[in-house]
């Protein structure tokens, strides 16, 4: 998808489609009003007849609007003007993209980036439009026998900003949005891959590929022999039942001052968690391929960092491992010695995440980090406590917790 910014008036655009907002109840946005005037009241007439109320997410596609140079005009319901918030804005963008993608407009000029969103500026609106678009167009179909694609997919979006002065801001927002989206896409791709393809070695390969692609990144892989030497007894125990070797990928991004304390991200990378000897129930066990979602998130974040060229030092750790039942597998009752020297009695081999992560967390102490963020699908109890939408966040440092929540 190609994005660009422009600052122009709607009636002068010659495009497959121009996208403008309509508020509830049947109230034209400033841009829609301009079009209405040029078209001799064509749009306001339709609204009067009740074709569009302006409720958030409503769509009305018009063809051959009088005196308008563009082939189509897409009216997008934005809800009540005063209530348009961040979430709604992103939803409106997503619905718009889906509609454009299905109605044969291969390019569009979008004026939704000029809508007033509470407390947000042009930079935010343009960047979010890019991110929401990429998110909405994402589909994981690389492994399908027959790939289905829209006949005339959307290829190009021009986001309009109110003044020429804001063009550089818009361009910066697009490049940031694309950098962030690239990381999100990589995260989703890796998480969606099946466990017979995405194993710890696959994660390590992705980590190495980042180092090849980006100058500021170097990657080190810690294999089982090295874990043995380091005394990572609990991490090793978890992977013992799998034919796939445990591999911990350590990705260094050096964008900041030499010697500046790094931020460390540690991601749980259980590429499949069967539960081990304490086998999980069969139902929905396929979803346990997602037990590497933390590692996928860290990989994606490292990718975005490099794309954005941020002036900080970050180390990302993908704690790759597979938890399987086997004659060689660790058992309930085993007592393990962790890298920190503490011993752990295993009561249930499905509580493997903490065993892998504790050694990874001890390992990163050598980097003397400014802070450590550990991302994990650690326990099903989190969903039982908070439900399927909220995410659990625990911290021993309140200001950091607030920063993360705001982000
Ligand atoms: Mn488990
Ligand atoms: Zn797990």
């Amino acid at each position: 998808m190609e994005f660009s910014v422009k600052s122009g008036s709607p009636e002068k655009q010659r495009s497959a489609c121009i996208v403008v907002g309509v508020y509830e109840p049947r109230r034209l946005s400033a841009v829609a009003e301009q079009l209405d005037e040029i078209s001799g009241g064509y749009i306001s007439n339709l609204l009067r007849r009740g074709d569009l109320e302006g409720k958030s997410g409503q769509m009305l596609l018009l063809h051959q609007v009088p005196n308008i140079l563009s082939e189509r005009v897409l009216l997008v319901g934005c809800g009540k003007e005063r209530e348009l918030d961040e979430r709604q804005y992103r939803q409106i963008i997503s619905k718009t993209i889906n509609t454009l993608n299905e109605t044969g407009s291969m390019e569009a000029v979008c004026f939704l980036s000029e809508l007033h969103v509470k407390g947000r500026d042009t930079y935010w609106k343009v960047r979010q439009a890019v991110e929401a678009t990429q998110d909405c167009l994402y589909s994981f179909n690389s492994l399908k026998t027959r790939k289905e694609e829209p006949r005339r997919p959307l290829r190009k979006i021009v986001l309009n900003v109110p003044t020429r002065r804001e063009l550089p801001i818009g361009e910066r927002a697009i490049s940031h949005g694309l950098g962030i989206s690239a990381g999100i896409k990589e995260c989703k791709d890796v998480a969606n891959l099946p466990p017979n393809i995405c194993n710890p070695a696959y994660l390590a390969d992705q980590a190495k590929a980042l180092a090849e692609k980006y100058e500021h990144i170097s990657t080190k892989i810690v294999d089982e022999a090295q874990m043995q030497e380091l005394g990572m007894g609990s991490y090793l125990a978890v992977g013992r039942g799998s034919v796939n070797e445990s591999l911990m990928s350590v990705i260094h991004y050096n964008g900041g001052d030499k010697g500046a304390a790094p931020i460390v991200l540690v991601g749980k990378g259980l590429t499949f968690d069967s539960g081990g000897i304490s086998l999980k129930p069969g139902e929905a066990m396929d979803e346990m391929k997602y037990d590497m979602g933390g590692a996928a998130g860290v990989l994606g974040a490292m990718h975005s960092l490099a794309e954005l060229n941020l002036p900080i030092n970050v180390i990302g750790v993908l704690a790759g491992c597979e938890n399987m039942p086997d004659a060689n597998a660790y058992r309930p009752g085993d007592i393990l010695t962790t890298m920190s020297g503490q011993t752990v009695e295993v009561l249930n081999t499905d509580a493997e995440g903490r065993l892998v992560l504790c050694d990874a967390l001890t390992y990163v102490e050598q980097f003397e980090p400014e802070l450590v963020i550990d991302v994990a699908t650690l326990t099903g109890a989190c969903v039982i406590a908070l439900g399927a939408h909220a995410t659990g966040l625990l911290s021993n440092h309140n200001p950091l917790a607030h920063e993360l929540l705001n982000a």
Side-chain angles (χ1 to χ4, degrees):
M1 175 73 64
E2 199 185 303
F3 294 91
S4 58
V5 277
K6 197 171 182 177
S7 179
S9 49
E11 70 278 7
K12 293 202 182 115
Q13 309 304 319
R14 196 181 287 277
S15 168
C17 189
I18 51 178
V19 182
V20 299
V22 174
Y23 296 112
E24 193 183 352
R26 302 182 297 283
R27 248 176 28 73
L28 299 175
S29 63
V31 180
E33 228 161 64
Q34 274 171 270
L35 288 181
D36 188 48
E37 244 167 64
I38 301 279
S39 67
Y42 185 85
I43 296 175
S44 47
N45 248 327
L46 286 175
L47 297 194
R48 252 195 303 280
R49 291 202 318 236
D51 287 51
L52 185 80
E53 187 60 29
K55 283 198 195 319
S56 185
Q58 272 188 324
M59 300 279 153
L60 184 61
L61 186 65
L62 310 176
H63 295 266
Q64 293 162 330
V65 177
N67 306 325
I68 302 296
L69 300 173
S70 292
E71 292 163 40
R72 307 170 183 80
V73 172
L74 179 61
L75 301 180
V76 177
C78 300
K80 299 216 169 71
E81 183 169 11
R82 287 233 207 103
E83 287 170 17
L84 184 60
D85 62 10
E86 298 160 0
R87 214 172 80 146
Q88 241 175 13
Y89 175 77
R90 282 184 65 108
Q91 280 173 351
I92 288 167
I93 297 282
S94 296
K95 285 205 171 168
T96 301
I97 298 302
N98 277 329
T99 305
L100 290 171
N101 212 24
E102 284 161 7
T103 45
S105 305
M106 296 179 75
E107 40 127 25
V109 181
C110 176
F111 284 84
L112 301 179
S113 41
E114 288 192 18
L115 294 170
H116 179 71
V117 181
K118 267 188 254 173
R120 292 300 188 176
D121 55 10
T122 296
Y123 168 83
W124 186 91
K125 286 184 277 186
V126 172
R127 198 186 102 189
Q128 291 295 322
V130 173
E131 288 180 36
T133 300
Q134 298 295 72
D135 191 49
C136 166
L137 293 177
Y138 179 81
S139 84
F140 180 72
N141 57 15
S142 60
L143 299 178
K144 286 202 172 140
T145 312
R146 269 191 303 274
K147 303 181 195 1
E148 274 175 40
E149 266 161 24
R151 202 171 53 83
R152 287 167 59 81
L154 184 63
R155 294 216 191 283
K156 199 175 152 196
I157 289 208
V158 181
L159 296 159
N160 212 76
V161 295
T163 60
R164 297 193 56 80
R165 198 173 46 81
E166 285 172 278
L167 287 174
I169 296 171
E171 271 152 24
R172 196 162 147 261
I174 287 179
S175 99
H176 287 180
L178 287 174
I180 292 165
S181 300
I184 294 174
K185 181 184 183 319
E186 165 134 68
C187 167
K188 288 182 183 177
D189 279 343
V190 172
N192 280 325
L193 279 171
N196 61 324
I197 293 175
C198 181
N199 51 34
Y202 184 90
L203 285 181
D205 284 343
Q206 303 314 301
K208 286 188 269 187
L210 275 188
E212 262 163 49
K213 188 167 173 202
Y214 297 102
E215 196 192 340
H216 290 322
I217 289 188
S218 60
T219 293
K220 185 184 158 186
I221 308 298
V222 180
D223 63 18
E224 288 188 353
Q226 288 163 294
M227 288 185 198
Q228 195 76 52
E229 270 170 44
L230 291 162
M232 300 173 80
S234 65
Y235 191 149
L236 277 170
V238 174
R240 240 176 28 214
S242 171
V243 292
N244 292 308
E245 182 178 8
S246 294
L247 294 168
M248 184 171 74
S249 312
V250 185
I251 309 166
H252 294 256
Y253 169 79
N254 295 309
D257 293 337
K258 250 207 164 110
I263 293 169
V264 172
L265 309 175
V266 177
K268 176 177 173 184
L270 265 287
T271 58
F272 190 71
D273 178 12
S274 66
I277 297 296
S278 312
L279 194 65
K280 288 175 185 290
E283 198 192 338
M285 204 206 263
D286 60 292
E287 291 176 8
M288 289 303 129
K289 71 174 185 177
Y290 293 120
D291 209 17
M292 40 63 74
V298 170
L299 180 70
M302 299 309 286
H303 189 148
S304 290
L305 275 174
E307 280 288 323
L308 298 176
N309 230 329
L310 294 190
I312 48 175
N313 298 330
V314 181
I315 298 171
V317 175
L318 319 181
C321 186
E322 187 179 45
N323 186 18
M324 296 290 271
D326 180 82
N328 201 31
Y330 80 132
R331 335 157 178 77
D334 283 0
I335 293 179
L336 311 171
T337 304
T338 67
M339 188 179 174
S340 71
Q342 295 173 82
T343 53
V344 183
E345 183 182 19
V346 177
L347 299 180
N348 182 324
T349 62
D350 196 10
E352 86 298 336
R354 62 209 70 182
L355 295 174
V356 169
L357 289 166
C358 71
D359 276 349
L361 290 170
T362 304
Y363 178 86
V364 302
E365 280 176 9
Q366 63 184 289
F367 303 124
E368 295 176 10
E370 184 191 336
L371 56 96
V372 179
I373 301 169
D374 172 3
V375 196
T377 46
L378 191 57
T379 163
C382 192
V383 180
I384 294 167
L386 303 177
H389 296 284
T391 300
L393 185 150
L394 296 166
S395 175
N396 57 359
H397 193 263
N398 264 331
L400 172 63
H402 284 293
E403 258 186 78
L404 289 172
L405 289 171
N406 285 334

